[in-house]
């Protein structure tokens, strides 16, 4: 931590992550993007204008995370929320790749037919 100044680099990394996820705030299937440092939660909804949720049975968070995994990013679904928890040692290019994978996951979740 001391040699690599891991903690000193966190504010810049958190800013980079916030900037990378910011366009999702305008996505028609994103109700909210919440962040605290390098932790983020992206809420998936059927309609962002009305905040109408997807039925939990449709497992939209799982769909998004599966699509992101195909892009090399491991995310955590909590119902219809995608949780992003990158390691503290993540690099800025890796943050960019992570954000791209999250966007692909959100697109997949919004476009997907329910699994039942």
């Amino acid at each position: 931590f001391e040699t690599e100044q891991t903690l000193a680099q966190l504010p810049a990394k958190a800013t980079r992550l916030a900037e990378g996820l910011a366009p999702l705030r305008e996505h028609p299937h994103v109700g909210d993007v919440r962040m605290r440092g390098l932790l983020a939660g992206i809420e998936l909804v059927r309609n962002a204008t009305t905040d109408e949720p997807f039925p939990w049975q449709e497992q939209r968070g799982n769909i998004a995370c599966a699509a992101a995994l195909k892009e090399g990013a491991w995310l955590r679904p909590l119902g219809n929320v995608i949780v992003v928890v990158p390691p503290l040692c993540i690099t800025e290019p890796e943050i960019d790749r992570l954000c791209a994978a999250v966007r692909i996951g959100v697109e997949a979740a919004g476009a997907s037919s329910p699994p039942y």
Side-chain angles (χ1 to χ4, degrees), residues 2 5 7 10 30 34 39 42 53 61 68 70 73 76-78 81-82 88-89 98 100 103-104 107 109 111-112:
E2 287 180 24
Q5 295 295 301
L7 297 180
L10 289 182
V30 173
R34 298 180 289 276
L39 305 177
I42 297 107
K70 291 179 183 175
R76 180 175 185 208
L78 287 176
V81 176
I82 304 166
L88 299 180
C89 63
L98 174 62
R103 288 190 295 271
I104 289 168
E107 285 295 328
S112 178

Side-chain angles (χ1 to χ4, degrees), residues 37-109:
L38 277 182
L39 305 177
I42 297 107
E43 179 186 15
L44 301 171
V45 294
R46 181 180 303 281
N47 184 320
T49 304
T50 64
D51 278 336
E52 176 190 357
F54 283 113
W56 66 268
Q57 300 92 333
E58 292 183 9
Q59 300 181 12
R60 298 297 175 130
N62 287 344
I63 293 167
C65 291
L69 185 57
K70 291 179 183 175
E71 300 298 317
W74 194 315
L75 308 175
R76 180 175 185 208
L78 287 176
N80 288 330
V81 176
I82 304 166
V83 179
V84 181
V85 187
L88 299 180
C89 63
I90 193 168
T91 64
E92 289 189 359
E94 290 169 337
I95 291 171
D96 297 341
R97 183 175 174 201
L98 174 62
C99 290
V102 170
R103 288 190 295 271
I104 289 168
V106 169
E107 285 295 328

